[in-house]
């Protein structure tokens, strides 16, 4: 149940023009917990994308929920992607020091059976832009080997390389040189522009949750 006296304050941090779509990225804050709860409750991946196995739906839903809800864990940040005020992706990472660790990244359709293109690349491009302004040398992530939509191949297209793993996860990383190269390769496709000093927004009022 959502309380009427709780503030929900996401911060717009970047916008991107990708093909014919406008993507806005929001940094979730500790005051967005109930918004995140509402989104995870209403997000029905089976209704949005048909034809997957029960295991695929379980893995996809788990990654999505944790990406949204673990933004409130100390030292972590979640960035929410939206198109036309509709949430369509999330990237959760540990704040960078010598390295940055991506905990979870997930995207989902806003129209039935139609995943909007390049949302993952937009989220990663925004992260790379942030990382290159710090002293951080690497971004690391654990990719689920049997997740839907060939996630590992998409990460490799962005410059990640495999550095090991096990039967379930692929350990991948990317260094500063390859992040710079990835941004150069995607800049004509993804017109990413930071939003500076934007006011906080009440996400339950400004964004559209799935019906």
């Amino acid at each position: 149940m959502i309380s009427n006296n709780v503030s929900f304050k996401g911060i717009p941090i970047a916008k991107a023009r990708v093909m014919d779509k406008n993507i806005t990225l929001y940094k979730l804050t500790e005051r967005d917990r109930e918004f995140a709860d509402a989104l995870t409750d209403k997000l029905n991946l089976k209704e949005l994308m048909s034809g997957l196995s029960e295991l695929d739906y379980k893995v996809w839903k788990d990654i999505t929920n944790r990406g949204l809800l673990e933004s409130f864990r100390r030292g972590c940040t979640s960035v929410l992607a939206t198109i036309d005020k509709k949430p369509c992706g999330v990237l959760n990472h540990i704040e960078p020091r010598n390295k940055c660790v991506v905990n979870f990244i997930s995207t989902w359709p806003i129209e039935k059976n139609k995943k909007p293109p390049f949302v993952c690349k937009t989220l990663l491009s925004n992260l790379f832009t942030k990382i290159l302004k710090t002293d951080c040398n690497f971004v690391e992530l654990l990719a689920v080997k049997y997740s839907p939509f060939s996630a590992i191949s998409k990460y490799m297209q962005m410059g990640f390389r495999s550095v090991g793993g096990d039967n379930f996860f692929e350990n991948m990383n990317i260094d500063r040189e390859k992040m710079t190269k990835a941004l150069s390769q995607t800049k004509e496709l993804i017109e990413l522009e930071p939003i500076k000093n934007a006011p906080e927004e009440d996400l339950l009022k400004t964004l559209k949750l799935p019906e």
Side-chain angles (χ1 to χ4, degrees), residues 15-187:
K15 58 183 178 180
R17 181 70 178 173
V18 183
M19 300 175 68
D20 62 339
K21 301 293 185 183
N22 291 311
I23 298 176
T24 302
L25 304 181
Y26 292 84
K27 178 182 177 181
L28 299 181
T29 76
E30 65 277 2
R31 288 185 286 176
D32 294 307
R33 180 178 295 276
E34 291 191 48
F35 166 80
D37 285 339
L39 179 54
T40 57
D41 285 345
K42 287 183 172 290
L43 193 59
N44 189 326
L45 299 176
K46 285 186 178 181
E47 288 187 0
L48 289 170
M49 180 68 74
S50 60
L52 301 180
S53 70
E54 288 300 317
L55 178 59
D56 283 341
Y57 286 122
K58 184 180 184 301
V59 170
W60 189 10
K61 183 65 172 174
D62 182 62
I63 292 171
T64 302
N65 286 358
R66 294 180 73 181
L68 290 165
L69 299 176
E70 293 205 13
S71 56
F72 315 109
R73 196 174 72 184
R74 185 169 181 170
C76 290
T77 295
S78 281
V79 175
L80 181 74
T82 66
I83 295 177
D84 297 330
K85 299 294 184 180
K86 297 178 181 179
C88 60
V90 66
L91 186 152
N92 174 278
H93 67 87
I94 297 174
E95 283 298 309
R97 291 183 182 175
N98 180 55
K99 66 180 180 180
C100 172
V101 178
V102 174
N103 295 319
F104 307 100
I105 182 166
S106 178
T107 64
W108 55 87
I110 55 176
E111 298 178 61
K112 188 172 177 62
N113 292 327
K114 293 182 180 179
K115 288 190 75 176
F118 306 115
V119 175
C120 178
K121 286 187 176 181
T122 301
L123 286 165
L124 285 172
S125 293
N126 178 71
L127 178 63
F128 293 170
T129 301
K130 173 181 177 177
I131 293 299
L132 291 172
K133 295 177 182 177
T134 72
D135 294 329
C136 180
N137 293 314
F138 293 93
V139 174
E140 294 184 354
L141 61 82
L142 278 178
V144 180
K145 286 187 174 181
Y146 304 108
S147 64
F149 315 116
S150 303
I152 291 174
S153 64
K154 291 180 181 179
Y155 298 145
M156 294 183 75
Q157 289 173 12
M158 285 294 288
F160 283 88
R161 65 189 183 100
S162 174
V163 291
D166 56 27
N167 291 335
F168 302 99
F169 298 101
E170 195 79 17
N171 192 357
M172 308 184 78
N173 70 21
I174 184 170
D175 60 24
R176 295 179 66 89
E177 181 181 352
K178 289 184 178 178
M179 282 186 261
T180 302
K181 183 177 180 181
L183 289 175
S184 177
Q185 291 174 337
T186 59
K187 67 179 180 180

